[in-house]
């Protein structure tokens, strides 16, 4: 039995209610990508009943169009060709399952699979959110706050975005909705707001501090200086903090998001990626491209507007959501 059949069984039987709900979120959030993918592969398979060089050429194109990333696609096609030869696969229909198997393997292989958040045992865990404007930083903080509260954690929000008009109001609203205090100061230096926040968190024994930052700064040097200052202030209070710096990327921006990741990598130490708005794109393959291009684990994915739509990234659920109708 191929890996994919195993996944299908895995998700259809004896799972907890919670786990099933999470699978549903992936299922729904990846609908656009799945439709695109599955319909293209079906068309391809009816065009070429037999596996041929032309078949592979067109498959390659489909995968690249799904934003999977050129090198990953090349490597993938090579592996597929080898298996076709080795296992004497002739019919394109029989290749479907192999495609799903290999997709999974390519992600897991030579992988950085640490998608868990690095929680501190000795102090509040400080998580910094960075990314260009509009990608979903503040919304992700709100959703995560809601999840952490549900787990019984004491959560503090810090409005480190003091630039954009309305930014403070937005995070304050999330604070009210999730019942988490918000530290903010209008027109203040972001680093000083962060300082107040982290201090309060230590004094009052908070479990997690979620720090919002501004997406828009005049230029790269400013952004770099700003983040450096914020980092300094945090580590002055908690030497091994921030425990995570999560870069938020909007999945609908495709290759643009990849460039952002490369740029931010140069500016600061990114420990994980949050890929938002996967529900809004038909090019869900971007998860695989990120791994190829920047080698940073995707820790969370945004699959919709509500708090439950923020999910810890799980490759099995992702592959399932992407291919389950195939
Ligand atoms: N469909 C969908 N929408 C999302 C998701 N994540 C965020 N959004 C939407 O994206 C928009 C922008 O989100 P914000 O959280 O304000 O983005 P930001 O990065 O804080 O933006 P700036 O503060 O301007 O830098 C909002 O309308 C969110 O509802 C997601 O996973 N799916
Ligand atoms: Mg924001």
């Amino acid at each position: 039995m191929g890996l994919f059949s195993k996944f299908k069984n895995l998700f259809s039987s004896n799972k907890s209610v919670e786990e099933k709900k999470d699978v549903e979120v992936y299922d729904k959030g990846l609908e656009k990508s799945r439709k695109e993918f599955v319909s293209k592969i079906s068309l391809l398979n009816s065009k070429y009943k037999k596996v041929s060089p032309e078949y592979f050429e067109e498959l390659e194109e489909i995968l690249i169009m799904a934003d999977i990333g050129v090198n990953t696609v090349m490597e993938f096609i090579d592996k597929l060709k080898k298996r076709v030869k080795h296992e004497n696969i002739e019919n394109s229909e029989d290749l479907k399952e192999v495609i799903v198997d290999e997709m999974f393997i390519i992600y897991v292989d030579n992988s950085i699979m640490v998608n868990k958040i690095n929680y501190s045992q000795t102090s509040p865990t400080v998580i910094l959110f960075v990314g260009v404007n509009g990608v979903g930083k503040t919304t992700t903080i709100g959703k995560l706050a809601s999840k952490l509260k549900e787990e019984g954690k004491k959560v503090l929000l810090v409005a480190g975005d003091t630039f954009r008009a309305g930014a403070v109001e937005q995070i304050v609203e999330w604070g009210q909705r999730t019942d988490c205090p918000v530290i903010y100061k209008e027109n203040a230096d972001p680093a000083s707001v962060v300082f107040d926040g982290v201090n309060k968190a230590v004094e009052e024994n908070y479990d997690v501090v979620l720090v919002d930052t501004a997406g828009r700064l005049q230029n790269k040097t400013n952004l770099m200086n700003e983040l450096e200052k914020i980092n300094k202030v945090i580590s002055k209070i908690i030497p091994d903090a921030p425990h995570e710096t999560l870069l938020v990327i909007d999945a609908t921006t495709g290759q643009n998001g990849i460039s952002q990741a490369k740029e931010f990598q140069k500016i600061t130490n990114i420990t994980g990626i949050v890929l938002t708005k996967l529900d809004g794109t038909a090019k869900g393959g971007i998860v695989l491209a990120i791994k190829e291009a920047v080698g940073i684990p995707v820790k969370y994915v945004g699959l919709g507007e509500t708090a439950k739509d923020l999910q810890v990234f799980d490759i099995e659920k992702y592959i399932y959501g992407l291919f389950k109708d195939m």
Side-chain angles (χ1 to χ4, degrees):
M1 184 162 63
L3 267 175
F4 188 54
S5 319
K6 275 186 203 149
F7 288 160
K8 275 194 172 173
N9 291 341
L10 201 71
F11 292 129
S12 54
S13 63
N14 52 45
K15 278 282 155 193
S16 70
V17 177
E18 275 312 305
E19 182 91 13
K20 277 195 177 140
K21 271 194 200 152
D22 290 348
V23 173
E24 268 171 37
V25 173
Y26 272 86
D27 184 342
K28 199 159 158 280
L30 290 169
E31 203 172 346
K32 276 192 191 161
S33 293
R34 178 168 64 244
K35 275 195 179 141
E36 176 88 0
F37 220 87
V38 173
S39 69
K40 278 188 175 167
I41 301 267
S42 296
L43 272 175
L44 182 67
N45 282 6
S46 52
K47 186 169 169 192
Y48 303 101
K49 299 277 183 222
K50 300 278 177 206
V51 179
S52 65
E54 292 76 27
Y55 173 91
F56 279 119
E57 244 166 59
E58 289 196 26
L59 178 63
E60 192 175 303
E61 206 166 294
I62 292 172
L63 299 174
I64 289 174
M65 289 304 287
D67 267 351
I68 289 177
V70 177
N71 293 332
T72 302
V73 171
M74 299 301 198
E75 193 187 328
F76 177 79
I77 295 281
D78 274 351
K79 285 180 121 186
L80 223 51
K81 282 181 178 165
K82 277 189 193 131
R83 273 188 71 171
V84 162
K85 205 168 158 196
H86 192 69
E87 296 167 29
N88 289 320
I89 300 168
E90 286 184 2
N91 297 325
S92 57
E93 225 20 57
D94 296 339
L95 200 57
K96 272 183 171 179
E97 188 138 322
V98 182
I99 291 176
V100 181
D101 273 10
E102 286 299 331
M103 202 61 98
F104 178 73
I105 291 166
I106 214 149
Y107 187 86
V108 179
D109 263 12
N110 55 46
S111 185
I112 357 114
M113 289 293 282
V114 199
N115 57 2
K116 295 257 166 0
I117 294 292
N118 169 33
Y119 284 107
S120 169
Q121 304 300 323
T122 53
S123 70
T125 300
V126 181
I127 308 179
L128 199 61
F129 289 80
V130 300
V132 304
N133 55 298
V135 288
K137 294 178 295 296
T138 309
T139 312
T140 300
I141 288 175
K143 289 172 175 172
L144 187 58
S146 158
K147 277 184 177 294
L148 294 171
K149 281 289 277 194
E150 251 174 51
E151 292 169 14
K153 294 204 163 82
K154 194 173 168 188
V155 182
L156 184 68
L157 309 184
V158 177
D161 181 357
T162 57
F163 288 85
R164 185 169 65 77
V168 169
E169 285 81 354
Q170 195 190 356
I171 194 164
V172 165
E173 203 183 303
W174 272 108
Q176 283 163 351
R177 217 181 296 167
T178 56
D179 196 21
C180 297
V182 183
I183 300 301
Y184 65 93
K185 271 193 277 183
E186 307 266 1
N187 305 317
D189 179 32
S192 89
V193 183
V194 174
F195 182 79
D196 289 355
V198 177
N199 254 335
K200 180 184 167 78
V202 171
E203 274 164 19
E204 298 176 20
N205 277 318
Y206 275 82
D207 296 309
V208 186
V209 187
L210 304 176
V211 181
D212 201 4
T213 64
R216 197 196 328 255
L217 281 188
Q218 302 84 330
N219 60 50
K220 207 168 108 183
T221 316
N222 277 13
L223 183 61
M224 187 154 45
N225 292 342
E226 190 62 63
L227 291 175
E228 206 171 293
K229 213 156 121 192
I230 290 176
N231 275 312
K232 240 184 223 157
V233 155
I234 295 175
S235 63
K236 219 180 246 171
I237 308 170
I238 305 172
D240 64 337
H243 304 91
E244 293 277 357
T245 299
L246 301 181
L247 172 68
V248 183
I249 296 179
D250 175 345
T252 65
T253 62
Q255 294 303 313
N256 223 325
I258 308 269
S259 317
Q260 288 161 20
K262 286 184 176 163
E263 284 305 308
F264 269 91
Q265 256 184 326
K266 291 181 203 154
I267 292 178
T268 192
N269 175 34
I270 305 293
T271 58
I273 284 174
V274 179
L275 191 62
T276 59
K277 311 186 199 180
L278 261 178
D279 54 307
T281 177
K283 298 182 167 199
I286 189 163
V287 175
L288 302 168
I290 287 176
K291 183 174 174 273
E292 169 199 310
V294 289
I296 299 173
V298 173
K299 297 204 172 181
Y300 286 98
V301 286
L303 294 156
E305 301 268 9
T306 70
K308 74 165 179 19
D309 296 320
L310 183 75
Q311 290 275 326
V312 170
F313 179 64
D314 179 303
I315 184 68
E316 295 188 7
K317 294 190 187 99
Y318 167 76
I319 296 279
Y320 173 80
L322 215 48
F323 297 106
K324 72 162 193 152
D325 297 335
M326 201 148 102

